[in-house]
Every structure is written in C-alpha cells, then in structure tokens.
Amino acid sequence: MTPSEVDLGPLWLTLRLAGVTVIVLLIIGTPLAWWLAHTRSRARTAIEAIVAMPLVLPPTVLGFYLLVLLGPYGWIGSASQAITGSALSFTFTGLVMASALYSLPFVVQPLHSAFESIGRKPLEAAWSLRASKLDTFLTIVSPMASRGYLTAIVLGFAHTLGEFGVVLMVGGNIPGRTKVLSIAIYDHVEVLEYTQAHILSAGLLIFSFLVLLMVYTVNRRLPIHVS
Amino acid sequence: MSELTARFNVVFPSFHLKVKASVPAEGITVVFGPSGCGKTTLLRCLAGLERAPDGFLALGEQVWQDEAHNIFLPLSHRPVGYVFQESRLFPHQSVRSNLLYGWKRIPKSERRISLDQVVGILGLDSLLERRPTHLSGGEQQRVAIGRALLTSPRLLLMDEPLSSLDVQRKREIMTFIQRLDKEFRIPIIYVSHALHEVVQLARTLILLKEGSVAAIGPLAEVFSQVGSRRVIPDSHIGAVIDTRVAGHDVEFGLTTLTFSGGHLSVPHQHSSIGESLRVQILARDVSLVASPPAFQTSVLNVLVATVMEIGPIEPDQPFVDIKLDIGCPLLATITRKSLAILQLHPGQKVHAQIKAVALTHDSLD
C-alpha cells in the first residue's frame, strides 16, 4: 500500500477544525483573559476555576455533557434545531464548539498572564497620550503581548489536533464531517492497518515538531521581552 | 489669569485625601510632602486616573470633573501631559515612535509644539532611532517628558520625575524643566518630596500633610511664614528670594546679586549679568543686631530690616522665628534669650547679618 492510498480526508478536517477553533478561541479568549487580568470583581476566582476545568475533567465527561447540550433535546441543540433545522451533535459546528471549550484554558491562560505582566502602567501612559482604550489595546497591548498570543495560538492549535475523547463523544465518526485524525488512527489500528496508522501518526508527529520548532525560533527573535 | 481649581475628598484604605485648592495656571506648582501623604494620589485625581466621588476639577473655564453635574472626562480626553515616576516608555517602539505617539493623536490644529523643538530642547537628536531599553535612566526620562510635551498639553503633571536619577542627571533635567516653563508656557504641577527641588522650581507651593493641604501659596510667602516650622524641616526654614546677577568682583572672587531689598554678595557665580538666580537665606544663618554694628564684622551682607512678626514661643523650644521686612520677607531664627535681651517688638528697626546665602542651583545633593 502506498501513501497515496491513505485517505487524507481526516487530516484536512483536523487542520480545518484546529484552525477554526483557534480563531474562535482568540475572539472569545482575548476579552475573557483581559477581564481576568484587570477585574476586581469577586467572580474572578470562580471564572478562573471554570476556565481551567477542561484541564482536569476527563474528556469523556466534558464530551458527554456537550453531547446532551448540543443534541436535539439539549438547550443549545434544540435552539439550533428550531433555527437551522438540525441539532449540533455530530456536526462540524458542534465539533468546533466542543473543541473550543476543551482548549479554552490553553488559550486563555497564556493571554491572561501576558496581560497581567503588562500591567496598568503602559495603559495609563497611552491614555495620557490621548489613546482611547481600543487604540491602546491595538497599538500597545497586543504588540507587547505578542509572545502570549503566539503561545496561545500554538497551544490551542496543537491541543485541538490531538483531542480524541470529546470529539468521539460529540462528533462521532462520520467520514468527511467529524472523522478527525486521531479517530482515523484509532480506526486503522483497530483493524490492524498499521501502515496507514503509521503514515498518519508520523505525519502528525513531524508536523507538530515543525510547528513547535517554528514557534520557538520566532519567539526567540521577537524583539519584545515583557515578562 | 486662569486658575486650576480642585476639590477632592476621597477615602482610601490607607488614608484620606481631602484637598480644596486653587492655584494659578502658570509656572511650576510643586506639591510637596513626605512619602505617603497623598501627593501621587492627588496627581492621579488631577489626571482622572482616580475618580473622586463628589470631586470637582476645572482649568480656567474648562470643567474636567464635576460630579454634581455628572461630568467626568477620562484621561484620554483631557489636554494633560503626564510624566510618571518611571518613564513608562513603550518598549516595542523606537524613541521616535514613542515621541510621536501622542502627537499623532491630537488634531493638527492643536499641535503647538513640534518634534524638532522637543528634540532640540531635550537633546534627543542622537537617541531617535534607539529602543527605550538601550537608554540610560536620564535619557528615558527626557524622552518621557518630550513625549508628554508633544501632545501640546494645557497642563503638565510630573510625578517625582527625578527620583530615580543620580545627582548629575537630576541637575540636567531640572534645568530642562525650568526651560519648559519659560519656552512653552505650560503650567506644571510637580510632585516632589525633595525640598531642594521645591526651592529651585516652585513658583507656587502646595504643602500636603496626611492627605490635607497644610499650606498653599507663592513659594516665597509659604517659606517666610513664621509658622512654617510645622510643615518644613528645621534645616530648610528660610526665605526664598529671586535675584538677578548685578556684577562680578574679580579681585575678591565675589558676585553681586540684586533683589527688591538691595544687594547680596555671594561667592563667584558662573552666570552672566542680568541672569536670574534664586537663593534661599536659611533662618538659622541670619542673626540680628539692634543698633548698627559699631565694630566691624566679617559678615558681608548686613541689611536694614523691620521686625514684622514674632513667631509663636514654645516653652520647650529654645528658638523662635522672627519675620523681618528687608524689602521682601526674611526669616531669622534666634534664641528666646536673645529675643529677651534685644527686646524685639514689631515695627522695630534692626540689622540683619546674613552669614550664608544658599544658591539653590547647587544644593542638589
């Protein structure tokens, strides 16, 4: 069997899932991390704990509750069914939502600590130079937090690549829709197709190494050392 | 002349800031007091970084905060420049980008101060392309001052901008700050806990004590009050006098200064004739003689003075402060015993012997 006969569908699906998940997480994670870094609210500790939950929860537990929530009888699933005509379990959208929740701490925590180490001082300086809050965020905070963003993106992406339990629970194993790489490898191993399993696994291994290598190289060359 | 009017009453966990003050929006106003008396907090209230409930703040006709009418401009909407204790330059930008950060953000029509001007006066020419992390403390603080100036502020707030610098840099930047006042005519509120900075820079003085105003007014007045002992350390009590260089005596190595009360001879100064020089005559350096000194004295500066006010006599204190008029106020510290011997009373003519004149520009250490 040659590599060309290996079904690469799961690979593209996985990359797409990880990419979309990271984008969603940056959009949600930035304001959340900002709030955590700057709020004096008492709710902060509770929110921090909730964000960290996926770190300690077995993926199957998370997957199970998500399946219930996103399915046709869950709150979110039934709302989706009313609007779009279908529930979210066993769909790509459902997978993105599940992955985002599962990888949330890997994006929020690096951003949170980046924002915290920048502190209030540069912000006050920017305000005194007539910059609005949004302007300050775009021109001062985000460049100063670039290492935090890089870490968040890589960890979020890599963590989504490797997830298995949540995906299996929420997405099932539908080729082209929810069958991601880790599940495809599992399937191959189960029917003793070790060659295909090897090709996919080695591919993922090399890809992960290259990504991390690139990140560390870029990180070393970044001009800003905030922390 | 427009005024800066502020009313703040804020309770913080550690202290209570209670300030009601009006100062001329002109020249340098120094807010002086020991560490922890609320100076920085007052400055932050002026900037809008702290919001005092029931606060009021106006510069001339412009109201920046009036809680009674629900008015509060955030810092980014106030024409204020803020120089922090640490320079707070943006580490990811060059000196030039730092300088232009605020300048780019004000309307073209409000740009009264140009990059060239600031670079010239602050000597930043060779630093423009560098990163802030490659600058010395003094250079960083100069860039921070320049960056604030380039927003053409109507009010410049400075929070102990010299505290992290060595003596040489302090002297250098102090000279810059004095030039700012003269060249750009921007009123400055300058927070300090160093008396020599107060004496050299202040036109108006606000003395803060435990969050409240202990004394306020033109520097010369505050320093020549007989009650100033309560708020100023003993070693610094004494009248501050603005003089001009009148001439140099090369033979004896002296310089003559002229002021509203006459002349003073001081050791030679490297200043040209006509230049203004601020001096302080410490009260402990002034002795009083009831009749003209019959015998010759080694003291060069002897001035005719009228006794204005005799300070409060404290039974446990051997000393008492006397306020004199020599054409301007002068303070003298004498013993209670001398007071009894000379039988001083207001209106009496005496001779004040001035043993030393402190030139504020070299009292930096």
Side-chain angles (χ1 to χ4, degrees):
Chain A
M1 181 173 268
T2 59
S4 61
E5 286 170 57
V6 177
D7 182 13
L8 288 178
L11 176 64
W12 302 130
L13 185 70
T14 306
L15 292 178
R16 200 157 66 100
L17 177 64
V20 173
T21 302
V22 165
I23 291 168
V24 169
L25 275 178
L26 287 179
I27 295 169
I28 300 170
T30 299
L32 183 56
W34 183 260
W35 183 82
L36 286 173
H38 291 280
T39 186
R40 288 172 199 164
S41 157
R42 287 199 199 137
R44 197 186 91 151
T45 325
I47 302 289
E48 260 184 300
I50 291 172
V51 170
M53 286 272 272
L55 291 174
V56 293
L57 225 47
T60 40
V61 171
L62 198 65
F64 170 65
Y65 281 118
L66 279 168
L67 181 65
V68 171
L69 266 180
L70 301 178
Y73 303 106
W75 294 347
I76 303 174
S78 59
S80 161
Q81 196 154 36
I83 298 162
T84 65
S86 68
L88 290 165
S89 48
F90 310 112
T91 63
F92 184 74
T93 316
L95 267 195
V96 169
M97 291 173 73
S99 306
L101 197 62
Y102 186 45
S103 299
L104 188 66
F106 293 86
V107 170
V108 170
Q109 286 180 353
L111 293 183
H112 180 183
S113 64
F115 293 155
E116 223 163 40
S117 73
I118 293 171
R120 275 182 71 86
K121 291 182 172 184
L123 313 184
E124 292 180 351
W127 301 338
S128 79
L129 298 166
R130 310 288 177 278
S132 68
K133 297 210 163 161
L134 181 65
D135 188 357
T136 303
F137 184 84
L138 295 176
T139 56
I140 305 300
V141 176
S142 26
M144 282 178 80
S146 55
R147 275 163 178 256
Y149 270 101
L150 193 65
T151 311
I153 289 169
V154 170
L155 288 182
F157 193 85
H159 194 246
T160 309
L161 280 191
E163 74 179 76
F164 183 80
V166 175
V167 172
L168 197 62
M169 295 291 275
V170 177
N173 190 355
I174 305 166
R177 262 173 63 192
T178 61
K179 185 177 186 170
V180 296
L181 207 56
S182 53
I183 292 171
I185 293 170
Y186 181 80
D187 281 354
H188 284 309
V189 173
E190 214 173 29
V191 296
L192 300 177
E193 294 171 345
Y194 275 31
T195 317
Q196 287 90 330
H198 264 310
I199 291 168
L200 292 179
S201 299
L204 197 57
L205 197 88
I206 293 167
F207 177 79
S208 303
F209 174 73
L210 288 178
V211 166
L212 286 177
L213 187 70
M214 189 188 76
V215 166
Y216 283 112
T217 315
V218 172
N219 214 343
R220 186 147 302 182
R221 293 202 185 144
L222 270 187
I224 313 140
H225 299 260
V226 175
S227 46
Chain B
M1 188 173 60
S2 72
E3 286 199 321
L4 181 71
T5 307
R7 284 198 302 274
F8 300 121
N9 193 346
V10 210
V11 182
F12 288 95
S14 54
F15 74 108
H16 185 179
L17 180 74
K18 200 173 172 187
V19 167
K20 195 176 168 193
S22 250
V23 294
E26 202 176 41
I28 302 175
T29 300
V30 174
V31 180
F32 173 78
S35 298
C37 70
K39 303 183 299 280
T40 297
T41 309
L42 173 60
L43 208 63
R44 291 175 64 84
C45 283
L46 291 174
L49 286 170
E50 305 285 346
R51 185 170 182 171
D54 313 323
F56 179 87
L57 176 66
L59 178 67
E61 305 286 293
Q62 283 183 29
V63 178
W64 293 346
Q65 181 177 11
D66 183 359
E67 298 295 345
H69 296 95
N70 218 2
I71 296 171
F72 180 83
L73 287 187
L75 175 55
S76 57
H77 288 68
R78 298 184 184 195
V80 161
Y82 202 127
V83 179
F84 298 88
Q85 206 165 344
E86 345 75 49
S87 66
R88 299 197 189 182
L89 299 179
F90 303 134
H92 59 293
Q93 296 184 346
S94 66
V95 167
R96 182 193 296 277
S97 308
N98 266 284
L99 286 171
L100 292 176
Y101 189 88
W103 185 83
K104 284 180 189 157
R105 285 167 171 76
I106 56 170
K108 277 202 178 77
S109 57
E110 286 173 26
R111 290 178 189 160
R112 290 177 290 124
I113 298 171
S114 73
L115 181 65
D116 288 346
Q117 252 177 311
V118 163
V119 166
I121 190 172
L122 290 169
L124 302 175
D125 219 359
S126 59
L127 310 178
L128 285 176
E129 306 313 323
R130 289 212 235 154
R131 292 266 170 186
T133 40
H134 296 137
L135 303 181
S136 71
E139 288 168 338
Q140 288 187 16
Q141 210 49 282
R142 263 151 58 198
V143 176
I145 293 171
R147 185 173 75 166
L149 278 176
L150 277 165
T151 61
S152 302
R154 296 271 318 276
L155 178 68
L156 188 58
L157 305 174
M158 305 182 105
D159 188 2
E160 308 202 23
L162 308 183
S163 62
S164 58
L165 308 178
D166 57 49
V167 174
Q168 178 60 33
R169 296 294 158 203
K170 273 186 188 163
R171 199 165 289 183
E172 190 184 299
I173 295 195
M174 201 109 110
T175 318
F176 286 135
I177 293 171
Q178 286 176 308
R179 284 177 68 186
L180 295 184
D181 174 35
K182 292 194 181 88
E183 303 210 7
F184 297 118
R185 308 210 138 272
I186 297 169
I188 298 174
I189 308 285
Y190 186 103
V191 159
S192 176
H193 73 279
L195 262 171
H196 59 79
E197 287 177 22
V198 176
V199 174
Q200 189 179 345
L201 296 174
R203 173 192 173 117
T204 309
L205 182 59
I206 299 177
L207 278 169
L208 271 194
K209 209 175 178 186
E210 285 156 18
S212 302
V213 177
I216 183 169
L219 176 79
E221 266 177 37
V222 175
F223 265 75
S224 53
Q225 278 164 15
V226 286
S228 65
R229 195 174 284 276
R230 285 196 303 269
V231 279
I232 301 171
D234 286 8
S235 56
H236 280 83
I237 292 171
V240 176
I241 300 172
D242 284 313
T243 70
R244 273 181 194 288
V245 176
H248 299 290
D249 180 344
V250 183
E251 189 190 345
F252 291 108
L254 294 174
T255 292
T256 307
L257 307 175
T258 152
F259 71 109
S260 51
H263 298 281
L264 289 172
S265 288
V266 296
H268 181 76
Q269 297 299 305
H270 290 283
S271 309
S272 41
I273 290 174
E275 208 173 304
S276 54
L277 217 51
R278 177 174 276 182
V279 301
Q280 183 174 27
I281 298 173
L282 294 176
R284 61 174 184 204
D285 289 334
V286 178
S287 58
L288 302 181
V289 185
S291 50
F295 40 87
Q296 295 200 319
T297 164
S298 68
V299 175
L300 279 177
N301 297 306
V302 181
L303 297 164
V304 179
T306 310
V307 176
M308 301 297 289
E309 194 182 345
I310 293 165
I313 293 169
E314 321 264 352
D316 57 335
Q317 269 277 349
F319 299 106
V320 57
D321 291 325
I322 313 289
K323 186 178 180 180
L324 305 156
D325 181 12
I326 51 168
C328 65
L330 183 72
L331 270 193
T333 300
I334 61 172
T335 59
R336 279 197 281 134
K337 188 173 180 184
S338 314
L339 178 67
I341 292 169
L342 294 173
Q343 291 182 316
L344 293 179
H345 53 84
Q348 189 179 344
K349 294 268 186 227
V350 292
H351 285 78
Q353 297 196 93
I354 296 161
K355 281 172 279 184
V357 177
L359 294 137
T360 60
H361 65 110
D362 24 80
S363 59
L364 271 178
D365 326 69

